[in-house]
Tab-separated table of all heavy atoms in Angstrom:
chain	number	residue	atom	x	y	z
A	42	MET	N	-3.148	7.969	5.385
A	42	MET	CA	-1.897	8.727	5.227
A	42	MET	C	-2.009	9.659	4.034
A	42	MET	O	-2.313	9.231	2.916
A	42	MET	CB	-0.720	7.774	5.028
A	42	MET	CG	-0.397	6.947	6.269
A	42	MET	SD	0.952	5.768	5.964
A	42	MET	CE	0.093	4.500	5.026
A	64	THR	N	-9.673	6.408	3.724
A	64	THR	CA	-9.170	7.331	2.706
A	64	THR	C	-8.053	8.171	3.304
A	64	THR	O	-7.847	8.187	4.525
A	64	THR	CB	-10.286	8.287	2.255
A	64	THR	OG1	-10.728	9.051	3.401
A	64	THR	CG2	-11.457	7.542	1.661
A	86	PHE	N	-14.328	2.178	-3.651
A	86	PHE	CA	-14.725	1.084	-4.533
A	86	PHE	C	-15.242	-0.091	-3.703
A	86	PHE	O	-14.829	-0.287	-2.566
A	86	PHE	CB	-13.528	0.655	-5.395
A	86	PHE	CG	-13.010	1.769	-6.255
A	86	PHE	CD1	-12.013	2.630	-5.791
A	86	PHE	CD2	-13.536	1.991	-7.518
A	86	PHE	CE1	-11.549	3.680	-6.574
A	86	PHE	CE2	-13.079	3.043	-8.312
A	86	PHE	CZ	-12.088	3.884	-7.835
A	89	GLU	N	-13.061	-2.462	-1.687
A	89	GLU	CA	-12.302	-1.921	-0.551
A	89	GLU	C	-13.013	-2.117	0.788
A	89	GLU	O	-12.408	-1.923	1.832
A	89	GLU	CB	-12.071	-0.420	-0.750
A	89	GLU	CG	-11.268	-0.075	-1.978
A	89	GLU	CD	-10.986	1.418	-2.042
A	89	GLU	OE1	-11.931	2.208	-2.208
A	89	GLU	OE2	-9.817	1.788	-1.932
A	91	PRO	N	-14.613	-3.236	4.302
A	91	PRO	CA	-15.128	-1.993	4.877
A	91	PRO	C	-14.094	-0.862	4.801
A	91	PRO	O	-12.922	-1.079	5.039
A	91	PRO	CB	-15.395	-2.377	6.335
A	91	PRO	CG	-14.445	-3.491	6.623
A	91	PRO	CD	-14.249	-4.223	5.336
A	102	GLU	N	-19.465	23.565	12.408
A	102	GLU	CA	-20.537	23.529	11.410
A	102	GLU	C	-20.030	22.964	10.078
A	102	GLU	O	-20.717	22.177	9.412
A	102	GLU	CB	-21.117	24.937	11.209
A	102	GLU	CG	-22.170	25.050	10.117
A	102	GLU	CD	-23.374	24.106	10.273
A	102	GLU	OE1	-23.647	23.626	11.399
A	102	GLU	OE2	-24.031	23.829	9.255
A	103	HIS	N	-18.810	23.323	9.696
A	103	HIS	CA	-18.240	22.787	8.458
A	103	HIS	C	-18.001	21.283	8.563
A	103	HIS	O	-18.179	20.541	7.595
A	103	HIS	CB	-16.943	23.508	8.105
A	103	HIS	CG	-17.152	24.928	7.680
A	103	HIS	ND1	-16.125	25.812	7.449
A	103	HIS	CD2	-18.302	25.626	7.436
A	103	HIS	CE1	-16.620	26.986	7.083
A	103	HIS	NE2	-17.932	26.893	7.080
A	121	ILE	N	-12.960	10.728	12.249
A	121	ILE	CA	-12.512	12.111	12.466
A	121	ILE	C	-11.048	12.087	12.879
A	121	ILE	O	-10.658	11.332	13.767
A	121	ILE	CB	-13.339	12.816	13.559
A	121	ILE	CG1	-14.840	12.709	13.274
A	121	ILE	CG2	-12.922	14.285	13.658
A	121	ILE	CD1	-15.708	13.281	14.391
A	135	ALA	N	-7.052	22.342	13.558
A	135	ALA	CA	-7.634	21.041	13.205
A	135	ALA	C	-6.685	19.929	13.646
A	135	ALA	O	-5.639	20.186	14.239
A	135	ALA	CB	-7.876	20.973	11.697
A	137	ALA	N	-4.593	17.311	15.476
A	137	ALA	CA	-4.177	17.153	16.873
A	137	ALA	C	-4.395	18.415	17.696
A	137	ALA	O	-4.403	18.364	18.929
A	137	ALA	CB	-2.700	16.750	16.923
A	142	ASP	N	-8.272	21.439	23.303
A	142	ASP	CA	-9.606	21.953	23.621
A	142	ASP	C	-10.607	20.797	23.558
A	142	ASP	O	-11.316	20.621	22.572
A	142	ASP	CB	-9.981	23.061	22.633
A	142	ASP	CG	-11.267	23.795	23.028
A	142	ASP	OD1	-11.999	23.288	23.922
A	142	ASP	OD2	-11.543	24.862	22.442
A	157	THR	N	-24.920	12.074	10.657
A	157	THR	CA	-24.811	10.928	9.760
A	157	THR	C	-25.472	9.687	10.351
A	157	THR	O	-25.525	9.535	11.570
A	157	THR	CB	-23.334	10.620	9.420
A	157	THR	OG1	-23.273	9.482	8.542
A	157	THR	CG2	-22.510	10.311	10.665
A	177	TYR	N	-7.241	9.605	28.206
A	177	TYR	CA	-8.242	8.901	29.038
A	177	TYR	C	-9.570	9.653	29.008
A	177	TYR	O	-10.632	9.077	28.800
A	177	TYR	CB	-7.778	8.779	30.502
A	177	TYR	CG	-6.435	8.133	30.706
A	177	TYR	CD1	-5.557	8.603	31.671
A	177	TYR	CD2	-6.034	7.036	29.930
A	177	TYR	CE1	-4.317	8.017	31.867
A	177	TYR	CE2	-4.795	6.447	30.112
A	177	TYR	CZ	-3.936	6.938	31.086
A	177	TYR	OH	-2.719	6.362	31.263
A	178	GLU	N	-9.476	10.973	29.225
A	178	GLU	CA	-10.686	11.801	29.209
A	178	GLU	C	-11.318	11.799	27.814
A	178	GLU	O	-12.536	11.680	27.663
A	178	GLU	CB	-10.342	13.237	29.620
A	178	GLU	CG	-11.537	14.173	29.587
A	178	GLU	CD	-11.168	15.652	29.771
A	178	GLU	OE1	-9.990	15.945	30.063
A	178	GLU	OE2	-12.078	16.496	29.617
A	188	ILE	N	-19.241	7.688	19.655
A	188	ILE	CA	-18.307	7.106	18.679
A	188	ILE	C	-18.257	5.590	18.867
A	188	ILE	O	-18.515	5.071	19.955
A	188	ILE	CB	-16.885	7.719	18.741
A	188	ILE	CG1	-16.137	7.306	20.012
A	188	ILE	CG2	-16.931	9.218	18.576
A	188	ILE	CD1	-14.625	7.549	19.927
A	203	LYS	N	8.737	11.371	16.081
A	203	LYS	CA	10.053	11.090	16.647
A	203	LYS	C	9.930	10.260	17.928
A	203	LYS	O	8.867	10.149	18.515
A	203	LYS	CB	10.772	12.409	16.949
A	203	LYS	CG	11.037	13.270	15.719
A	203	LYS	CD	11.878	14.484	16.086
A	203	LYS	CE	12.121	15.359	14.863
A	203	LYS	NZ	10.917	16.120	14.479
A	206	ALA	N	6.971	5.253	20.183
A	206	ALA	CA	5.552	5.293	20.563
A	206	ALA	C	5.380	4.580	21.901
A	206	ALA	O	5.973	3.533	22.140
A	206	ALA	CB	4.711	4.619	19.485
A	208	TRP	N	2.802	2.712	24.083
A	208	TRP	CA	1.494	2.063	24.028
A	208	TRP	C	0.908	1.784	25.415
A	208	TRP	O	-0.198	1.273	25.516
A	208	TRP	CB	1.605	0.748	23.249
A	208	TRP	CG	1.655	0.918	21.773
A	208	TRP	CD1	2.390	1.805	21.050
A	208	TRP	CD2	0.926	0.140	20.801
A	208	TRP	NE1	2.184	1.640	19.706
A	208	TRP	CE2	1.294	0.627	19.520
A	208	TRP	CE3	0.026	-0.912	20.881
A	208	TRP	CZ2	0.770	0.084	18.343
A	208	TRP	CZ3	-0.490	-1.446	19.714
A	208	TRP	CH2	-0.124	-0.947	18.458
A	222	ILE	N	-16.006	0.306	23.626
A	222	ILE	CA	-15.805	0.341	22.167
A	222	ILE	C	-14.424	-0.245	21.845
A	222	ILE	O	-13.544	-0.277	22.705
A	222	ILE	CB	-15.913	1.783	21.616
A	222	ILE	CG1	-14.894	2.710	22.307
A	222	ILE	CG2	-17.331	2.317	21.754
A	222	ILE	CD1	-14.815	4.101	21.717
A	241	GLN	N	-0.182	-8.979	22.549
A	241	GLN	CA	-0.297	-9.589	23.884
A	241	GLN	C	-0.110	-8.557	24.988
A	241	GLN	O	-0.881	-8.477	25.931
A	241	GLN	CB	0.781	-10.689	24.047
A	241	GLN	CG	0.630	-11.856	23.108
A	241	GLN	CD	-0.696	-12.593	23.295
A	241	GLN	OE1	-1.167	-12.781	24.414
A	241	GLN	NE2	-1.310	-12.983	22.192
A	251	GLY	N	0.735	2.139	9.501
A	251	GLY	CA	0.861	3.215	8.535
A	251	GLY	C	2.149	3.114	7.752
A	251	GLY	O	2.250	2.401	6.760
A	253	ALA	N	4.951	1.594	7.903
A	253	ALA	CA	5.604	0.309	7.589
A	253	ALA	C	4.997	-0.379	6.368
A	253	ALA	O	5.600	-1.290	5.799
A	253	ALA	CB	5.532	-0.625	8.797
A	275	GLU	N	7.966	-16.260	4.298
A	275	GLU	CA	9.079	-15.700	3.526
A	275	GLU	C	8.671	-14.330	2.982
A	275	GLU	O	7.528	-14.124	2.598
A	275	GLU	CB	9.407	-16.620	2.345
A	275	GLU	CG	10.095	-17.914	2.737
A	275	GLU	CD	11.498	-17.687	3.281
A	275	GLU	OE1	12.284	-16.978	2.612
A	275	GLU	OE2	11.801	-18.201	4.378
A	292	LYS	N	-2.970	0.836	-11.482
A	292	LYS	CA	-4.126	1.418	-10.780
A	292	LYS	C	-3.991	2.936	-10.666
A	292	LYS	O	-4.979	3.673	-10.734
A	292	LYS	CB	-4.259	0.798	-9.381
A	292	LYS	CG	-4.698	-0.667	-9.405
A	292	LYS	CD	-6.150	-0.778	-9.809
A	292	LYS	CE	-6.619	-2.197	-9.938
A	292	LYS	NZ	-7.978	-2.291	-10.490
A	350	VAL	N	18.502	-12.229	-6.284
A	350	VAL	CA	18.742	-11.456	-5.058
A	350	VAL	C	17.668	-11.767	-4.013
A	350	VAL	O	16.479	-11.808	-4.309
A	350	VAL	CB	18.756	-9.933	-5.350
A	350	VAL	CG1	18.846	-9.122	-4.052
A	350	VAL	CG2	19.915	-9.597	-6.264
Side-chain angles (χ1 to χ4, degrees):
M42 292 177 284
T64 61
F86 300 90
E89 299 185 294
E102 176 56 21
H103 291 173
I121 307 175
D142 189 347
T157 180
Y177 305 141
E178 178 189 353
I188 70 164
K203 298 186 181 74
W208 282 45
I222 57 173
Q241 296 299 321
E275 287 293 309
K292 290 288 176 187
V350 174

